[in-house]
Amino acid sequence: QVRLVESGGGLVQAGGSLRLSCAASGSIISINAMGWYHQAPGKQRELVATITSHGSTNYADSVKGRFTISRDYAKNTVYLQMNSLKPEDTAAYYCNVGSTVAEVGYLEVWGQGTLVTVSS
């Protein structure tokens, strides 16, 4: 129905940058909100950033001014540009997409996760 493919995680030194991508495919009629969440070991999954169908964005306080979320409407893809990375940003990052799907209606899907490790 809806498939999400994430990419872009990896190992980076503190102060460095990474760009995550999440491409949605399937029987999608329209995509509503897209977002990124992260989950550090032993902790709950937390919101990092979201972007609505109108382009309105929302960020966790911890990443404001460092991370930028954007989307390519034609490619059904959401990006997370992460700059000035800190060791505390180390976590698995998950893409979340809410969309209207043919013969199903509204469906919220999670990506498989991509690991970001920031060394000090």
Side-chain angles (χ1 to χ4, degrees):
Q1 293 166 337
V2 178
R3 180 171 178 246
L4 302 181
V5 178
E6 300 178 16
S7 62
L11 173 64
V12 65
Q13 289 188 332
S17 298
L18 284 173
R19 188 191 193 210
L20 306 183
S21 299
C22 173
S25 62
S27 304
I28 298 171
I29 296 174
S30 63
I31 291 181
N32 302 331
M34 307 180 85
W36 291 96
Y37 293 71
H38 68 195
Q39 186 169 16
K43 295 188 177 182
Q44 289 187 332
R45 191 171 297 185
E46 298 177 334
L47 179 145
V48 176
T50 60
I51 184 166
T52 70
S53 58
H54 301 291
S56 296
T57 58
N58 181 50
Y59 296 93
D61 288 342
S62 60
V63 306
K64 284 180 181 177
R66 300 189 297 123
F67 291 10
T68 301
I69 189 170
S70 61
R71 60 190 284 180
D72 184 323
Y73 292 85
K75 296 181 179 180
N76 286 340
T77 299
V78 62
Y79 305 96
L80 185 68
Q81 178 67 43
M82 305 185 293
N83 298 329
S84 302
L85 282 160
K86 304 176 180 180
E88 50 264 43
D89 295 319
T90 294
Y93 283 71
Y94 296 90
C95 174
N96 177 271
V97 173
S99 61
T100 300
V101 179
E103 300 181 0
V104 173
Y106 183 79
L107 188 64
E108 187 171 323
V109 180
W110 290 93
Q112 81 279 6
T114 185
L115 187 61
V116 171
T117 303
V118 185
S119 63
S120 58

